[in-house]
Amino acid sequence: MKTEQNTSNSQFARLLPGELFIKEHLTNDDLTLKTNMKPATSNDPNVAKGTETLSESLGLWMLYAVEKGDQVLFAQNVEVLKAYDYQDGWIAWKAGGGNETLVATNALVDDLRIAEALYMAAEKWGDETYIQLANEVGQSILENQSREGLLVDFYDRQNKVASDYLTLSYLNASAVQLMEKHQQVNKELNNQVHSLLNTLPTKNGFFPFSYQLGSKEYVYHQEVNLIDQLYIGYHRAQVGISSPELWAFLKEEFARNGLLYGRYDASTKKPLVSYESPAVYSLAILTASELKDYTFARDLYERMVRQQIRRPESEFYGGYVDMSQMDTHSFDNLLPLLAERRLFNEGTLQ
């Protein structure tokens, strides 16, 4: 499958069932991605539902287009970005859904991901306009969310105030590296981000959840969400930092039970839930790919796709659908699709 990596013509790329599902069941008329397959509304402004769309989904879809080598899909999503609640590089964390309530905050992790995808696309296809857009996002982050030499979670555009904490799973150091390469952040900030990730403490093998800038303290959660842990592990692996304690726990847990649960107790390391998460497996696969742990990546993939509807005759073919609820979340389909494409590109899957 080397053709996929070396050409911008996506006709050579294998069409994956997950991509079909997303296009058929999770795409709005304006080409934004739905948060849920099932129509729903929420009275909570901090929750996205139904046809509302997330900057998270947009960034993952853009990364997938780059990974696939699909220039048309990427260009389509650049137009979606421009039509989104986007102002001088600031990107609302959710939009659409017929909800006119002002969304005043962004999300650092999503903005970094979108900038990363734009820089990668510019490098892949030689389009300077993508660099300009990525630089706008980088400038917004630098101007609004840089505090004490670090980055913080969000900027509230309405109240003109930034948060005073950093959720550690948000810290995408490879995106910050690209921002430094394109002279949007200085070397000091890039080094500080890398240093923070590199020197993260652990408690009983788990990373802290966040860092409070005011008190300069790390915050740990008793209930450990593996998605948060794996995002930290993945972002570290992307810039050459291993996470031996977390990785050993994941491999031991998978060897013992043949699966990974979604949440664990920080003290006992026992699962707190009975469910498995496609997003957990996806992030573990992407991390394994960075660490060149290809056998484990394949084992994780085989377990992940057990949750996918693989029968071509099914209406929901390719989706990670909870059939008891007849619903699914965009996150639980985009991340598995990205991980699967990565495995095909590197030759782990044939």
Side-chain angles (χ1 to χ4, degrees):
M1 293 298 290
K2 294 297 182 189
T3 316
E4 273 183 63
Q5 292 175 301
N6 300 329
T7 181
S8 62
N9 189 342
S10 64
Q11 70 182 16
F12 295 107
R14 180 191 304 231
L15 187 60
L16 299 176
E19 182 180 341
L20 285 172
F21 174 81
I22 289 167
K23 287 179 174 176
E24 289 180 14
H25 296 283
L26 286 174
T27 303
N28 290 312
D29 292 341
D30 62 0
L31 300 180
T32 59
L33 295 185
K34 302 174 184 178
T35 295
N36 300 98
M37 182 173 72
K38 184 190 285 187
T41 55
S42 172
N43 295 323
D44 185 346
N46 298 311
V47 173
K49 290 276 190 181
T51 59
E52 287 184 304
T53 191
L54 298 166
S55 56
E56 172 184 73
S57 302
L58 177 58
L60 289 170
W61 203 211
M62 291 170 79
L63 275 183
Y64 172 73
V66 175
E67 189 74 38
K68 184 188 175 191
D70 193 333
Q71 200 165 358
V72 173
L73 180 62
F74 191 86
Q76 172 185 300
N77 280 286
V78 169
E79 294 310 307
V80 168
L81 172 63
K82 291 175 180 176
Y84 197 86
D85 189 353
Y86 174 89
Q87 295 184 23
D88 299 323
W90 181 96
I91 308 165
W93 74 273
K94 73 169 181 174
N99 187 346
E100 302 308 316
T101 305
L102 178 69
V103 177
T105 56
N106 66 331
L108 175 69
V109 63
D110 302 339
D111 294 6
L112 287 174
R113 187 185 291 120
I114 288 169
E116 181 181 29
L118 286 162
Y119 284 132
M120 290 166 66
E123 193 171 307
K124 194 178 192 77
W125 295 307
D127 192 325
E128 292 290 318
T129 62
Y130 295 160
I131 293 178
Q132 292 166 19
L133 265 175
N135 285 348
E136 282 183 20
V137 176
Q139 277 299 303
S140 176
I141 291 171
L142 188 63
E143 289 169 15
N144 300 316
Q145 291 170 257
S146 175
R147 295 185 54 176
E148 300 173 29
L150 268 181
L151 301 177
V152 295
D153 275 21
F154 65 82
Y155 177 70
D156 183 327
R157 190 176 62 191
Q158 188 174 22
N159 297 306
K160 295 183 170 50
V161 62
S163 61
D164 61 356
Y165 55 88
L166 171 65
T167 300
L168 293 165
S169 58
Y170 283 18
L171 203 55
N172 181 343
S174 65
V176 176
Q177 276 186 353
L178 287 168
M179 286 165 60
E180 192 212 335
K181 179 181 176 181
H182 290 277
Q183 300 174 322
Q184 297 310 297
V185 302
N186 59 34
K187 190 174 184 63
E188 287 71 28
L189 180 67
N190 183 28
N191 288 346
Q192 182 81 345
V193 165
H194 191 280
S195 176
L196 182 76
L197 264 188
N198 190 34
T199 58
L200 278 183
T202 57
K203 188 178 287 185
N204 201 25
F206 292 121
F207 293 116
F209 176 77
S210 63
Y211 178 74
Q212 302 292 327
L213 272 71
S215 61
K216 295 183 168 45
E217 290 178 341
Y218 290 101
V219 175
Y220 291 85
H221 284 180
Q222 187 60 33
E223 186 172 305
V224 172
N225 186 330
L226 273 197
I227 288 174
D228 297 327
Q229 295 292 309
L230 278 161
Y231 257 128
I232 295 170
Y234 177 51
H235 290 150
R236 282 163 60 103
Q238 283 183 299
V239 292
I241 307 167
S242 64
S243 305
E245 288 181 287
L246 175 64
W247 205 239
F249 165 74
L250 293 170
K251 295 191 80 165
E252 288 164 10
E253 186 70 8
F254 192 84
R256 181 166 50 246
N257 300 319
L259 56 84
L260 298 173
Y261 293 101
R263 293 172 183 265
Y264 288 83
D265 183 276
S267 302
T268 66
K269 294 192 171 183
K270 299 295 184 188
L272 292 172
V273 295
S274 59
Y275 67 79
E276 299 169 73
S277 162
V280 162
Y281 288 120
S282 311
L283 287 167
I285 289 165
L286 290 167
T287 308
S289 173
E290 292 290 336
L291 298 172
K292 297 181 168 45
D293 196 341
Y294 301 124
T295 300
F296 189 38
R298 195 179 303 108
D299 291 343
L300 290 162
Y301 171 79
E302 294 297 340
R303 184 70 197 183
M304 178 179 78
V305 295
R306 288 190 183 193
Q307 298 179 64
Q308 187 180 32
I309 296 173
R310 307 284 281 187
R311 303 182 306 280
E313 67 275 13
S314 170
E315 177 188 358
F316 303 121
Y317 175 57
Y320 287 81
V321 180
D322 178 349
M323 297 306 288
S324 67
Q325 302 291 322
M326 293 299 286
D327 200 12
T328 187
H329 194 286
S330 54
F331 186 70
D332 281 328
N333 292 272
L334 287 161
L335 266 174
L337 181 61
L338 180 61
E340 187 172 19
R341 179 63 68 191
R342 176 78 55 84
L343 293 183
F344 275 113
N345 282 356
E346 71 188 15
T348 301
L349 298 177
Q350 301 294 332

